[in-house]
Every structure is written in structure tokens, then in C-alpha cells.
């Protein structure tokens, strides 16, 4: 693993949770104490729940409730980040360095230290593995591994060594950031976007994102001339923090005085920097046994907090596939599906964040509910993936979409209702079979035989649950039974009697069928397992 930012840490945690031996290296001698990203999306919170860090993330976060837009000193719009009840988590605001600290602490519990002061300088690969060369404080080191994951940022050595293209360009504008405190009457939990426009074109900008703490915000604005750095050379990847001069309170206050919706004074500057943004994406997320993820694969404006979240979900998608490959359980095409599934996501995010940076999130769109789910990263689909089964039954939830949660389920020996997500350990695939009505002993025995065969086909990487309607008689079965007491599973999945669903470790639906069919289920599993 190259890079110990949030993307590399996520991949390392997911590999170690599956018992895979790995190493994680980073050239920085100390973890960064500055914050690039500050937003964690609802979908990423679902990922964090499975990784075992949700409580820590929520404890260190403040809720992001929406955004209020001002143009030329007048209120011009309000965007509320409300989500329907079927989504278990909202939008969180938390500095990236805090997210990284929580992930480092989780990785430490899995017995994997971060090897600091070590940088990738090159690698070679063949059909059997990868030989990487690292520069270390003690000289050069050669490492042989089965796979290499490059989460080494916008200037990725992994990407360059693979020879991947990185098409795109830098924005003309430069920005400055500062974490400050203010006292004002703006509602808690709302971001503030204040713009000055001339003839409909924005020529001055102040964006304030709430952080944990009383009156604390991450403020972003155009950089003044005295802090600006030289334009990058043509073709250079210019993305991230630049220059030795740091914005001072006076620079931030000057913008507040021009654009703030009400008079206020900034204080307690915790951190500041000048930065430049670009929009670029690779032509492939990997070749052979080497992959790129996060900023190594895609860079774009930070609008909507999409960057870190997209990278974490890259790593989450890749790690379970690499783990199965290392364990000798993966089908031949499994790791290649990472590019098929995740590169279209990166392309969409790059294009959308460029538009949002210039026009604002949801500008010109008339469906707020759709915008909310999209910004929450709940609408990502993998329908075209070679390991996703096509379904002709339009009444069922279609494969390739995020598997939704279902509340109000009940279970013997558990006194309170439970959620479907609480049954998913995010390590293995989960087969869910829905039963509605009376099932004979022979029928249940047939189902038990089918799932036993499926377990063998999946190398015992399956959890099995029967979800039954409140009145269904399934007493003869030895399989775990969950009751859809509130009817939320049927509603979310379009389930009918004897329908079957396969949920992948990353929480996406891989297969759905209106009737239980052993041959079809095994054929689907063979797309993932050898």
C-alpha cells in the first residue's frame, strides 16, 4: 500500500480485516495536521459503520444541515441537506486529519504499523507479482508482493510508473483556506456561500463550512495578489497546497468584510494555506496487479466534499476483491472489475464538481430529492459490471445498485427491532431469501441444500439469512430467520415469496431473482469466486 492518507488507510484496514498480510508506506515522517477535506457523505458513513469506526467519526463530527447562498449581499437561496428515512445517516463535517487519525487508530488495532519515511520510486510486475523499489532513510529497499495499490495522491508515482494518462487541466483561479471562529446569527450546521457577481459572473467568493466547535468554520476564498503563486507549467499536475506564504487573519478578514452576510470578526486562526485545484482522471484504474485509487486516479474541485469520499469508496471496492485474489478464491476477472465499476464514478464526479464549483451544487436542477441522494453518493450504480447479474424481473430491486437498509426487522432473542445493515459484517457476501406464507419442510430442506452448495461455491464466504413475513411459517428451518415485521424489506427490495438477493461486502446488490434457483445462483457466484 503506497500512501497512508484516508484512501490508503481504508484499503489497509479492509485487507487486514480479512486477514491479508500487507505493508503500508508513506514518505511523510509525521501525519499531516492540516485538513483538506471536511465532509463525510452518508454513503461513506455506511462504509465506516462496517469498518468499525462509525462511533468515533460521529463523535468528532458536526452535522452538515445545508447551505445558504448570498449574492451581492442578498439571500439568493437555501439548500437543505435533508434525506428520507430509509437513509440511516446524514452529512457529517469533520476535518480530514481527524478522519485520518481515527483510521490510523483502527489500523493499529489490526496490528499493522505505518512505515513512514519510505517512498515508492518504481516497480516492475509480471503474472506472478510485483517487485517495488522504495527509498528509505537507510537507503533503497526492494519489496516483492502479490499486488500493489497506489493511494499516493495527485502526483502519484504509481500512476506515472504505470504510464497512465491523466487528462484534464488546472483552474485559472487560486484559493486560500483558513479555519477560524466567528460570531454571527447564521443558523448552526449550515454552510455559507457568499458571492459578488457582475453581469451574472462571479468575481469574488467566500465559502464557509461548519466544523466541530463553537462558531468554527473552514473558510475558502479567492487568493489575494500578494499570496498568489506562479501559474503551473503547461501540462503539469497542479493540485493541492502551494507556496510558502500562509494567509493571515487580516487576509481572511478582508474577504469577510467584503462578502459576509453580516458584520463579524474572525479569530483563532488554527490553520491556513493557499491551494490550487485541477480536474483530471486516468485512462485506467490499474493494469495487471497494480491499481490506483483516490487522488492518484482522479482530482477535481472539492465542492460537495466528493474527493475524499470517492477515494475511500474506491479503496473499499478494491480491497475485498484483492483480498479474495490473495487468498486464491477470486475469479479471473474479479480485480479487473474495479476499473469497470469505479472509473465511470470518477468521471461523473470530476464533471459534476467542475460544474458545481462554477455554478453551485444543484444549480438549474429541479429535483432536490435526486440532488440530495446524488450528493450523498447513494445513487452510484455498477449495472454494467461483468460481476453483476442482469435481472429481467422489474418488480425486484435491480442488481448493481446500493443495497438499501431496512428498519423494523425483528429476531428471536433480540428484544428491540434491528436493521438489515446490522446483519452485514461487510467482510463476506450475504444471501437473503424472502419467504411469505407457509413453507413445507421439504421446501425448506431444498433451500438449505441450495445454500450449502452456494457456500461451497463461494469458499464459505457467504452469510445466509431467511427474511420472512410476520405470518410465514418457517419453523422447520435451521437457517437464521429474521422477520420483516414492519414490511420495510419488502418495500425496499420489491421482495416476493421465494425471491433471493446477494449483497456484496461493499454493500451493493450483485444478484436478485424472483425465485430461488440453485443453478442461476451458482453461475452468479462463479463470476466472483473461482
Amino acid at each position: 500500500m503506497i500512501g497512508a492518507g484516508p484512501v490508503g488507510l481504508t484499503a489497509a484496514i479492509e485487507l487486514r480485516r480479512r486477514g491479508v498480510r500487507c505493508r503500508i508506506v508513506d514518505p511523510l515522517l509525521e501525519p499531516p495536521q492540516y485538513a483538506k477535506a471536511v465532509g463525510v457523505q452518508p454513503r461513506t458513513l455506511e462504509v465506516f459503520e462496517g469498518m468499525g469506526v462509525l462511533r468515533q467519526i460521529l463523535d468528532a463530527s458536526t452535522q452538515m444541515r445545508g447551505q445558504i447562498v448570498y449574492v451581492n449581499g442578498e439571500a439568493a437561496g437555501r439548500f437543505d441537506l435533508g434525506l428520507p428515512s430509509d437513509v440511516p445517516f446524514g452529512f457529517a463535517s469533520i476535518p480530514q486529519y481527524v478522519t485520518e487519525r481515527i483510521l490510523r487508530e483502527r489500523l493499529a488495532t489490526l496490528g499493522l504499523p505505518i512505515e513512514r519515511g519510505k517512498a515508492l520510486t518504481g516497480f516492475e510486475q509480471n503474472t506472478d507479482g510485483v517487485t517495488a523499489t522504495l527509498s528509505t532513510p537507510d537507503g533503497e529497499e526492494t519489496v516483492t508482493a502479490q499486488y500493489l495499490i497506489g493511494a499516493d495522491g495527485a502526483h502519484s508515482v504509481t500512476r506515472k510508473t504505470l504510464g497512465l494518462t491523466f487528462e484534464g487541466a488546472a483552474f485559472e483561479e487560486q484559493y486560500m483556506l483558513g479555519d477560524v471562529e466567528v460570531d454571527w446569527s447564521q443558523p448552526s450546521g449550515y454552510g455559507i456561500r457568499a458571492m459578488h457577481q457582475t453581469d451574472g459572473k462571479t468575481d469574488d467568493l467566500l465559502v464557509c463550512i461548519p466544523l466541530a466547535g463553537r462558531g468554527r468554520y473552514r473558510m475558502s476564498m479567492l487568493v489575494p495578489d500578494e499570496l498568489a503563486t506562479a501559474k503551473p507549467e503547461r501540462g503539469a499536475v497542479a493540485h493541492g497546497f502551494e507556496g510558502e506564504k500562509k494567509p493571515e487573519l487580516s487576509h481572511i478578514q478582508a474577504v469577510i468584510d467584503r462578502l459576509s452576510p453580516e458584520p463579524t470578526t474572525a479569530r483563532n486562526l488554527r490553520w491556513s494555506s493557499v491551494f490550487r485545484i485541477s480536474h483530471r482522471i486516468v485512462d485506467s484504474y490499474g493494469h495487471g496487479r497494480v491499481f490506483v485509487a483516490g487522488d492518484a486516479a482522479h482530482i477535481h474541485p472539492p465542492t460537495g466534499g466528493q474527493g475524499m469520499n470517492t477515494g475511500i469508496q474506491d479503496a473499499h471496492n478494491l480491497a475485498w476483491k484483492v483480498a479474495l485474489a490473495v487468498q486464491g478464491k477470486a475469479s479471473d476477472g474479479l480485480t479487473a472489475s474495479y476499473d469497470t465499476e469505479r472509473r465511470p464514478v470518477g468521471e461523473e464526479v470530476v464533471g459534476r464538481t467542475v460544474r458545481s464549483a462554477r455554478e453551485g451544487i444543484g444549480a438549474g436542477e429541479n429535483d432536490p430529492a435526486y440532488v440530495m441522494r446524488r450528493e450523498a453518493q447513494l445513487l452510484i450504480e455498477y449495472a454494467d459490471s461483468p460481476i453483476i447479474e442482469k435481472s429481467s424481473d422489474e418488480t425486484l430491486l435491480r442488481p448493481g445498485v446500493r443495497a438499501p437498509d431496512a428498519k423494523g426487522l425483528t429476531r428471536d432473542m433480540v428484544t428491540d427491532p434491528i436493521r438489515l445493515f446490522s446483519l452485514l459484517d461487510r467482510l463476506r457476501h450475504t444471501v437473503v431469501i424472502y419467504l411469505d406464507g407457509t413453507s413445507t419442510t421439504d421446501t425448506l430442506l431444498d433451500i438449505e441444500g441450495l445454500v450449502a452448495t452456494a457456500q461451497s461455491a463461494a469458499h464459505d464466504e457467504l452469510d445466509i439469512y431467511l427474511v420472512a413475513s410476520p405470518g410465514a411459517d418457517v419453523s422447520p428451518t435451521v437457517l437464521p430467520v429474521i422477520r420483516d415485521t414492519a414490511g420495510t424489506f419488502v418495500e425496499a427490495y420489491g421482495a416476493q415469496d421465494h425471491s433471493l438477493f446477494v449483497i456484496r461486502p461493499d454493500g451493493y446488490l450483485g444478484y436478485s431473482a424472483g425465485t430461488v434457483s440453485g443453478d442461476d445462483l451458482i453461475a452468479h457466484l462463479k463470476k466472483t469466486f473461482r
Side-chain angles (χ1 to χ4, degrees):
M1 188 70 53
I2 311 300
V7 178
L9 288 167
T10 296
I13 289 168
E14 289 301 283
L15 289 169
R16 288 298 303 137
R17 286 208 310 136
R18 291 166 171 82
V20 174
R21 292 176 58 238
C22 59
R23 294 175 63 180
I24 179 169
V25 303
D26 194 289
L28 296 179
L29 295 174
E30 297 291 338
Q33 295 302 311
Y34 49 81
K36 290 187 280 187
V38 295
V40 175
Q41 309 293 9
R43 171 64 189 143
T44 306
L45 290 176
E46 293 177 2
V47 170
F48 284 162
E49 180 180 32
M51 291 171 62
V53 297
L54 177 64
R55 177 183 61 80
Q56 294 89 333
I57 292 290
L58 294 179
D59 286 351
S61 300
T62 189
Q63 184 176 1
M64 186 71 181
R65 300 179 184 276
Q67 179 176 254
I68 302 173
V69 179
Y70 293 86
V71 178
N72 296 342
E74 300 293 330
R78 178 173 174 141
F79 197 67
D80 292 304
L81 292 172
L83 287 165
S85 60
D86 64 295
V87 180
F89 307 114
F91 294 81
S93 180
I94 176 174
Q96 180 175 322
Y97 64 82
V98 178
T99 299
E100 290 185 16
R101 172 182 57 77
I102 292 169
L103 293 176
R104 287 196 304 272
E105 291 170 352
R106 176 68 174 114
L107 185 61
T109 67
L110 298 169
L112 183 62
I114 298 169
E115 301 177 43
R116 295 202 171 273
K118 297 184 178 182
L120 178 71
T121 59
F123 61 82
E124 295 180 352
Q125 64 169 315
N126 55 36
T127 56
D128 297 321
V130 183
T131 300
T133 304
L134 306 177
S135 65
T136 78
D138 299 322
E140 192 173 89
E141 179 183 358
T142 300
V143 180
T144 300
Q146 292 189 54
Y147 293 90
L148 186 150
I149 299 174
D152 44 350
H155 304 283
S156 169
V157 174
T158 309
R159 181 187 67 240
K160 295 173 183 176
T161 306
L162 272 178
L164 304 177
T165 63
F166 205 35
E167 296 297 328
F171 275 57
E172 288 291 330
E173 304 91 346
Q174 246 184 319
Y175 297 85
M176 63 180 182
L177 298 173
D179 286 0
V180 298
E181 294 176 5
V182 293
D183 291 320
W184 59 13
S185 63
Q186 299 300 307
S188 175
Y190 280 80
I192 305 298
R193 183 184 178 94
M195 300 175 286
H196 183 272
Q197 294 184 344
T198 303
D199 297 328
K201 182 178 180 180
T202 299
D203 50 30
D204 206 358
L205 176 68
L206 171 66
V207 177
C208 310
I209 305 298
L211 297 174
R214 187 167 287 105
R216 181 161 289 280
Y217 289 82
R218 156 67 61 79
M219 294 193 175
S220 174
M221 57 214 78
L222 296 174
V223 74
D225 291 342
E226 64 266 27
L227 295 179
T229 61
K231 289 185 178 181
E233 296 181 6
R234 185 177 180 84
V237 177
H239 191 80
F241 302 122
E242 296 185 335
E244 297 180 358
K245 295 180 180 179
K246 304 298 182 186
E248 299 178 357
L249 268 175
S250 58
H251 296 110
I252 296 169
Q253 188 62 50
V255 181
I256 291 174
D257 290 343
R258 294 197 305 268
L259 295 175
S260 174
E262 61 185 89
T264 190
T265 301
R267 64 180 187 277
N268 294 339
L269 176 63
R270 179 182 295 169
W271 170 83
S272 67
S273 186
V274 172
F275 78 104
R276 190 182 296 273
I277 57 177
S278 294
H279 53 94
R280 294 180 181 271
I281 187 162
V282 292
D283 58 326
S284 174
Y285 274 30
H287 288 313
R289 292 174 171 267
V290 181
F291 309 93
V292 290
D295 283 359
H298 47 79
I299 54 176
H300 42 81
T303 312
Q306 300 292 310
M308 182 186 74
N309 292 270
T310 301
I312 286 172
Q313 291 171 48
D314 289 343
H316 198 244
N317 179 288
L318 177 60
W320 69 266
K321 299 172 180 178
V322 169
L324 288 177
V326 169
Q327 295 161 353
K329 300 175 181 178
S331 65
D332 289 341
L334 182 60
T335 56
S337 71
Y338 167 61
D339 175 76
T340 306
E341 293 182 351
R342 291 303 298 176
R343 188 154 55 93
V345 175
E347 290 173 341
E348 190 276 335
V349 168
V350 169
R352 173 161 47 87
T353 54
V354 169
R355 292 191 300 273
S356 296
R358 293 185 169 126
E359 303 169 13
I361 296 173
E365 298 185 81
N366 298 319
D367 188 346
Y370 171 82
V371 172
M372 283 301 92
R373 285 185 178 268
R374 184 192 64 204
E375 295 300 314
Q377 298 197 342
L378 299 172
L379 299 181
I380 293 169
E381 295 191 17
Y382 302 141
D384 294 329
S385 170
I387 63 171
I388 294 291
E389 201 68 40
K390 308 300 181 187
S391 176
S392 59
D393 191 337
E394 296 183 356
T395 64
L396 300 176
L397 187 68
R398 66 185 183 279
V401 303
R402 161 189 166 268
D405 202 2
K407 302 176 183 178
L409 306 178
T410 58
R411 183 175 194 174
D412 289 347
M413 300 175 288
V414 180
T415 57
D416 291 325
I418 61 175
R419 301 161 51 216
L420 178 65
F421 279 7
S422 69
L423 304 175
L424 310 179
D425 68 356
R426 305 297 190 185
L427 290 174
R428 294 143 51 92
H429 284 65
T430 302
V431 171
V432 179
I433 299 172
Y434 181 76
L435 297 176
D436 181 9
T438 300
S439 297
T440 66
T441 300
D442 287 343
T443 299
L444 293 170
L445 285 174
D446 288 343
I447 291 174
E448 291 168 9
L450 178 148
V451 298
T453 303
Q455 282 278 25
S456 178
H459 303 275
D460 293 325
E461 294 287 341
L462 285 182
D463 290 323
I464 313 292
Y465 289 101
L466 297 183
V467 174
S469 67
D473 181 8
V474 292
S475 56
T477 189
V478 297
L479 295 173
V481 175
I482 310 297
R483 294 286 179 178
D484 186 24
T485 304
T488 54
F489 182 84
V490 166
E491 180 180 0
Y493 286 77
Q496 56 200 22
D497 195 28
H498 287 79
S499 56
L500 184 150
F501 306 88
V502 179
I503 303 173
R504 308 187 328 180
D506 57 1
Y508 281 83
L509 192 65
Y511 174 85
S512 65
T515 57
V516 174
S517 168
D519 291 343
D520 291 345
L521 175 60
I522 301 304
H524 166 68
L525 293 174
K526 285 302 181 182
K527 293 182 177 182
T528 294
F529 300 95
R530 68 168 178 83

